[in-house]
Structure formats: C-alpha cells, structure tokens
Amino acid sequence: MDKNSATGLFLISALILVYLFFFSPKQADVEKAKKQEAATAAARTATQPAAGAPAAAAVPAGLAPDAPLDSAAGPVQAVTLQNADLTITLSSRGGRVTAVRLNKYKTFFGKPLNLLDAQSARLDTRFRTVDGKTIRFSDLNFQPSAVTTAGPAQRVSFTAAVAGGTIVQTYSLPADSYELAYDLRFNGLERTVAQEPLTFTFLDRVRQTEQDLKQNRNHSTINHYSAAGSHTALAEASEKPEESKAEGPVKWAAHKHDFFVAGLIADGQPFSSGAFNTAVPDANDSTFIKTMSTTLTLPVAEVEQGRGHFRYFFGPNSFNLLQGVAPGFDRNVYLGWGLFRWVNQFIILPVFHFLAQYISNYGIIIALLVLLIKLVTWPLTYKTYESQARMKVLKPEIDAIKEKIGDDPTKVQQETMKLYSTFGVSPLNGCVPTLLTLPILFAMFQFFPNAIELRQEHFLWAKDLSSYDVFAKLPFFVKWYGDHVSMFTLMMTASTLLMTWQSNQVNTAMQGPMKFYSYLMPIIFLFVLNSFAAGLTWYYFVSNVITFAQQAITKTFVDDTKIRAQLEANKVKNKDKKPTGFQARIAEAMKASQEREAQGKKKS
C-alpha cells in the first residue's frame, strides 16, 4: 500500500463513516424520551371513559378501547378469513380489520407474528351528514354475512342500516395471497351524506418483532405513492415526530414494519389526499417501538356510485413479491438511494436470487456473491496493485529526494510530483480503481439489513443474518460498542489489520500519521459494525480472505524488472513534456503554497 493508495483508503473510510453517521440509528435523547412518555401518558388518560360510563373490556398497555356501543346494536361478532399465508380477523363493530397474523412467519422470539392486533392498531372510516354530524364506522355494529367461497377466495360482507339506507363492506381473501380485496358501497344515502370527502384512518403502534430493537424501530416508516408516479417516505431513523401531506391524488399508502408491510391500495379512483405521521412514543419501550398514522380521503360520490374498490396488502417486505402488488409498491424495500439502489436492484438481488435457487445455505450464498464480485472487479484490483508496484520501483528516487531536500514537506511533495510526471506515473492510479468499487460497497450497507431473504437465516453461530451475531453476551453495556460480541465483526477487523500490516511491511514509505490511520480505521469499524447485520460483516471477512488470494495471484503477473523498463521508457518519452491535467494543477497548487510560505517567513 503506497502513500497515495493509503490516502485514498483513508478518504474512503471517512466517506463510509459520514454515510453511517447520517443513515445509521442514533441514540435517543433521554430528556426527550421522558417528555414524550409524559405526553403519551396524558393522551392515554384523556381517552379513558368518563366516570359513570359503562365499563369496557380492559386493554393492556395499548390503544384506548372504543366507546361502548348501544346495547340495542346487538353483540359484537368476530369473523375470520384464512388462507395459507394470512389469518385475518374482522369485527362487526365497524366492519373492519382488527387483527392480521402472518402464518408463515414468527418473531425473533419464536412467537406468532401478528402484524396488527386490537391493542396495537385501529382502522376506521368516517363521513359527515348533511346536518353536520360525523358518523364513524366504529360507532356502528355491522351485520356480517356467512363466509362463502367464491372460486379460490373466501368472501364476507358487512351491512349496517343508516338513515334509511345501508353501508355495505365486502372483503375477499384469495387463496395463497397476501392481498385482501375490499369494496365499499353506500346505498340510498345520497340525501343523507354531505358531499365532503370520506376519510380512512389507520393508527398503528408497531411492536418489536426483531432482535435489534433499534433497527426494528428505525426501519419502520410510512411510504406513499402518488397517482402521478412519485414516491415519498417519512424519515426512517428520525427520533423526532415526522409529518408529510399529499395534496394530490394518492395511489397507495403503506406502513412498513421493518420486514413486513401493511398497505392500502386504491384500485379505482385514487385517494384525493393524504396525511402521514410517525413518532417514537418512548425510546425505551420494547413493546410499542413506533407510532404511525395515516389519513386518506376519497370523494364520497365514489362509494355512492359503486366505485369504492380497494386492496389491503399484509405481508413480507420482499422486493420480488411487492413488484406485482401495485406500481411503485416495491419502494417499501429500502435498497439505498440513487446509484446504490440501482446496484442492489439490478445486480445484487438478481445474482442473490439466482444462487438461492441452487443453494439453501445463505452464508455460502454470501461467500459466493463475494467471489463473483471479486472476479468481476479483478481488473480494477490489478490496476491498483500495478500502481503500488510502480511506486515501489520508484522508491529509491523518492528516498533520494527526501535526503536531498530534508525537512521541507511541501518541497518534497513538489519534487515527487515532478518525478511522477517524468516517469508517467499518476498518483490517482491507485485510488481511482478503489473508488469505482464504492457503489458496491455502499450498496451492501443497505442490502443486508433490509433483505428479508436473510431474516432468521442461521449460519454458524449467527441466528439471524439480517441482524448482528451474538457470539458472547456481555454482562454490561459498552458505549459505542454494545452489550454483545459479534464474532464476524472481530474476524473482519482481524483480517483487515493483518492485510494492513502485510501491506505496510512491503511499503516502507508508509510512515507517520498515514501508517497510524491505516491501523486506526479497522479499529473504528470494530465499534461501528458490531451491531450491523451479520451478513454484512461476514461478507467483508470473506472479501478480505479473497483479497489475500488475489494479491498472491496478481503478484505473480507483476514483474518489477519490466515495470522499471517501462518507467525508463516513459522518462525518455516525457523528457521535454510539461505536466498536464491533474498533475499540473497539483504542481501549481504546491508552488503557490510554497510561495505563500516563503512570503510568510520574510514577513516574520
């Protein structure tokens, strides 16, 4: 590793740290958490029934219970629709979805995975009458029909009589599907309902389902997609309340629970507007880790004329699955932004899924993915190694410059640049190939924590490759490190340090601060990556091992004697040639710096 390559490595490491600073979770502020908890407690108190009101069933530490229905409305009934993927519970109270269980998934703690339940979520719809009253579906007790089978789908309708007309809600659950069709129609209510928008509301308190509470919280957010094709998402990792409003038509809105999604899609007329909010009610709450709420409006004429056609999606946040749900619905899977998303979507995911067709062990799939990427980028690696070899061959000339000039770093650097120009060597040759691999590097940071394919996949001692591996649990918490030891991170750090040491033994010019930084960066990443996905740190460990092999193989193709002959030929060719391009700008900058330094000495 020559000095210029080390500089490039340092800059890359700095870029990664900046990237992690802005996109990784941050520690919650204790005082803010206390204030939020106090506000939450006050809100809960405000929603308790007034004294003397009929007692409602106790609801443990979740949403406040609905106000009791009039006894004349009849008993509240629960209806269940079920297929291989979903178990959906609907209530006659409001004719609404009250619970959703994903049958093929469990939480990290081995419990059934309930995406929604009566204590954590509430769906409701409301409208206004011509005399100014607000009627909520949750205040009405709908009469359910018998569950029927229409082809491969289960079907049920809920009907409520209102002011001489009826409200009919129909749900249909196909076999082997995560989608629930929902139709809403008002019959005979044209003179009763005000011509104001119908309003859907979805209040959702997200439960912890994954090992890493912080990641679980910071990967939960609300996405929505406009009818014009624009995607918007609330900031995932924000600890402050987030809010967004869509003034134009909205095609769909979805609550993302890290690896799972609860969404509502308009199949007919888009929603006319939407409002979206997220907040962290209590940073230390391990039961409800984030509160999300969505409000969508729709012209009431749509349901009066039988055009109220919608779909719910309750399922895994799988990219290939979501692509077939609705336009842009795959944006619920966060694969990074800009170029990094393209790398993940069109390179990493296809290769990953191709390998998964033949190999069931995801640790091995990751290792093969590294091998393929290393083979593809080998020409860039070769260029980097070749640049290092050129610097190594020029080491005697560089040492002679240092000995001749002495303690004048600016003059030494200026003469070194002249030497590079004379022999046709560019200091960027060792950095550019490494910089070109940055899109893959950054893409990996987003792929592994967000890939549901890795969720709860075991490999060696890791129980979940989408979360950190726990080789040993510490009896105490270490700031910036955590309360666990990630062995994959230790292996990655040890291999990086060994690779750095090996490079520094060859490159004796690596001295002083640069040599110190080359060892410091792996230690910093030991702390930074200890709580990152095990798949990521395993990826980088394997990458280091393959890099060792690449260096050993590449070394056999690089002949120092031939490189010296090529450099001597460049010297003759460039004898009367002036520096151009980047080297010329560097030379001018150093000359100006030297002149300013000389002027400063004269004044003093």
Coordinates of all heavy atoms in Angstrom, one line a residue, residues 382 385-391 393-394 423 425 557-570:
Y382 N -6.3 -5.4 -10.1 CA -5.0 -5.5 -10.8 C -4.4 -4.1 -11.0 O -3.2 -3.9 -10.8 CB -5.2 -6.2 -12.1 CG -3.9 -6.5 -12.8 CD1 -3.1 -7.6 -12.5 CD2 -3.4 -5.6 -13.8 CE1 -1.9 -7.8 -13.2 CE2 -2.2 -5.8 -14.5 CZ -1.5 -6.9 -14.1 OH -0.3 -7.1 -14.8
Y385 N -2.9 -2.8 -7.8 CA -1.7 -3.5 -7.4 C -0.6 -3.1 -8.3 O 0.6 -2.9 -7.9 CB -1.9 -5.0 -7.5 CG -0.7 -5.8 -6.9 CD1 -0.7 -6.1 -5.5 CD2 0.4 -6.2 -7.7 CE1 0.3 -6.8 -5.0 CE2 1.4 -6.9 -7.1 CZ 1.4 -7.2 -5.7 OH 2.4 -7.9 -5.2
E386 N -0.9 -2.9 -9.6 CA 0.2 -2.4 -10.6 C 0.7 -1.0 -10.2 O 1.9 -0.8 -10.3 CB -0.4 -2.4 -12.0 CG 0.6 -2.3 -13.1 CD 0.0 -2.3 -14.4 OE1 -1.1 -1.7 -14.6 OE2 0.5 -3.0 -15.3
S387 N -0.3 -0.2 -9.7 CA 0.1 1.2 -9.3 C 1.1 1.1 -8.1 O 2.0 1.8 -8.0 CB -1.1 2.0 -9.0 OG -0.8 3.3 -8.5
Q388 N 0.7 0.2 -7.2 CA 1.6 0.0 -6.0 C 3.0 -0.4 -6.4 O 4.0 0.0 -5.8 CB 0.9 -1.0 -5.0 CG -0.4 -0.5 -4.4 CD -1.0 -1.5 -3.6 OE1 -0.5 -2.7 -3.4 NE2 -2.2 -1.2 -3.0
A389 N 3.0 -1.3 -7.4 CA 4.3 -1.8 -7.8 C 5.1 -0.7 -8.4 O 6.4 -0.7 -8.2 CB 4.1 -3.0 -8.8
R390 N 4.5 0.2 -9.2 CA 5.3 1.3 -9.8 C 5.8 2.2 -8.7 O 7.0 2.7 -8.8 CB 4.3 2.1 -10.7 CG 4.0 1.4 -12.0 CD 3.0 2.2 -12.8 NE 2.7 1.5 -14.1 CZ 1.7 1.7 -14.8 NH1 0.8 2.6 -14.4 NH2 1.5 1.1 -16.0
M391 N 5.0 2.5 -7.7 CA 5.5 3.3 -6.6 C 6.7 2.6 -5.9 O 7.6 3.3 -5.4 CB 4.4 3.6 -5.6 CG 3.2 4.4 -6.2 SD 3.7 6.0 -6.8 CE 2.1 6.6 -7.4
V393 N 8.8 0.6 -7.2 CA 10.0 0.7 -8.1 C 10.7 2.0 -8.0 O 11.9 2.2 -8.0 CB 9.6 0.3 -9.5 CG1 10.8 0.7 -10.5 CG2 9.3 -1.2 -9.7
L394 N 9.8 3.1 -7.8 CA 10.3 4.5 -7.7 C 10.8 4.8 -6.3 O 11.2 6.0 -6.1 CB 9.3 5.4 -8.2 CG 8.9 5.5 -9.7 CD1 7.8 6.4 -9.9 CD2 10.1 5.8 -10.5
F423 N 8.2 10.1 -15.0 CA 8.1 8.6 -15.3 C 6.7 8.2 -15.7 O 6.5 7.0 -15.9 CB 8.5 7.8 -14.0 CG 10.0 7.8 -13.8 CD1 10.6 8.7 -12.9 CD2 10.8 6.9 -14.4 CE1 12.0 8.7 -12.7 CE2 12.2 6.8 -14.2 CZ 12.8 7.8 -13.3
V425 N 3.8 8.4 -14.2 CA 3.0 7.8 -13.1 C 2.0 8.8 -12.5 O 2.4 9.9 -12.2 CB 3.9 7.3 -12.0 CG1 3.1 6.7 -10.8 CG2 4.9 6.2 -12.5
F557 N 2.0 -12.0 -11.7 CA 1.9 -11.4 -13.0 C 2.6 -10.0 -13.1 O 2.7 -9.5 -14.2 CB 0.4 -11.2 -13.4 CG -0.3 -12.5 -13.6 CD1 -1.1 -13.0 -12.6 CD2 -0.3 -13.2 -14.8 CE1 -1.8 -14.2 -12.7 CE2 -0.9 -14.4 -14.9 CZ -1.7 -14.9 -13.9
V558 N 3.0 -9.5 -12.0 CA 3.7 -8.2 -12.0 C 5.2 -8.3 -11.8 O 5.6 -8.8 -10.8 CB 3.1 -7.3 -10.8 CG1 3.8 -5.9 -10.8 CG2 1.6 -7.1 -11.0
D559 N 5.9 -8.0 -12.8 CA 7.4 -8.1 -12.8 C 8.0 -6.7 -12.6 O 7.9 -5.8 -13.5 CB 7.8 -8.7 -14.2 CG 9.3 -9.1 -14.2 OD1 10.1 -8.5 -13.4 OD2 9.7 -10.0 -15.0
D560 N 8.7 -6.6 -11.5 CA 9.3 -5.3 -11.2 C 10.3 -4.9 -12.3 O 10.5 -3.7 -12.6 CB 10.0 -5.4 -9.8 CG 9.0 -5.4 -8.7 OD1 7.8 -5.3 -9.0 OD2 9.5 -5.6 -7.5
T561 N 11.1 -5.8 -12.9 CA 12.1 -5.5 -13.9 C 11.4 -4.9 -15.1 O 11.9 -3.9 -15.7 CB 12.9 -6.8 -14.3 OG1 13.5 -7.3 -13.1 CG2 13.9 -6.4 -15.3
K562 N 10.3 -5.5 -15.5 CA 9.6 -5.0 -16.7 C 9.0 -3.6 -16.4 O 8.9 -2.7 -17.3 CB 8.5 -5.9 -17.1 CG 9.0 -7.3 -17.7 CD 7.8 -8.1 -18.1 CE 8.3 -9.4 -18.7 NZ 7.2 -10.3 -19.2
I563 N 8.5 -3.4 -15.2 CA 7.9 -2.1 -14.8 C 9.0 -1.1 -14.8 O 8.8 0.1 -15.3 CB 7.3 -2.2 -13.4 CG1 6.0 -3.0 -13.5 CG2 7.0 -0.8 -12.9 CD1 5.3 -3.3 -12.1
R564 N 10.2 -1.4 -14.3 CA 11.3 -0.4 -14.4 C 11.7 -0.1 -15.8 O 11.9 1.1 -16.1 CB 12.5 -1.0 -13.6 CG 13.8 -0.3 -13.8 CD 13.7 1.2 -13.5 NE 13.8 1.4 -12.0 CZ 13.8 2.6 -11.5 NH1 13.8 3.7 -12.2 NH2 13.8 2.7 -10.2
A565 N 11.7 -1.0 -16.7 CA 12.0 -0.8 -18.1 C 10.9 0.1 -18.7 O 11.2 1.1 -19.5 CB 12.1 -2.1 -18.8
Q566 N 9.7 -0.1 -18.3 CA 8.6 0.7 -18.9 C 8.7 2.2 -18.4 O 8.5 3.1 -19.1 CB 7.2 0.1 -18.5 CG 6.0 0.9 -19.0 CD 4.7 0.3 -18.5 OE1 4.7 -0.6 -17.7 NE2 3.6 0.9 -19.0
L567 N 9.0 2.3 -17.1 CA 9.2 3.6 -16.5 C 10.3 4.4 -17.1 O 10.3 5.6 -17.3 CB 9.3 3.5 -15.0 CG 8.1 3.0 -14.2 CD1 8.5 3.0 -12.7 CD2 6.9 3.9 -14.4
E568 N 11.4 3.7 -17.4 CA 12.6 4.3 -18.0 C 12.2 4.8 -19.5 O 12.7 5.9 -19.9 CB 13.8 3.4 -18.1 CG 14.4 3.0 -16.7 CD 15.0 4.2 -16.1 OE1 15.3 5.2 -16.8 OE2 15.2 4.2 -14.8
A569 N 11.4 4.0 -20.1 CA 11.0 4.4 -21.5 C 10.1 5.6 -21.4 O 10.2 6.5 -22.2 CB 10.2 3.2 -22.1
N570 N 9.2 5.7 -20.4 CA 8.4 6.8 -20.1 C 9.2 8.1 -19.8 O 8.9 9.2 -20.3 CB 7.4 6.6 -19.0 CG 6.4 5.6 -19.3 OD1 6.1 5.3 -20.5 ND2 5.7 5.0 -18.3

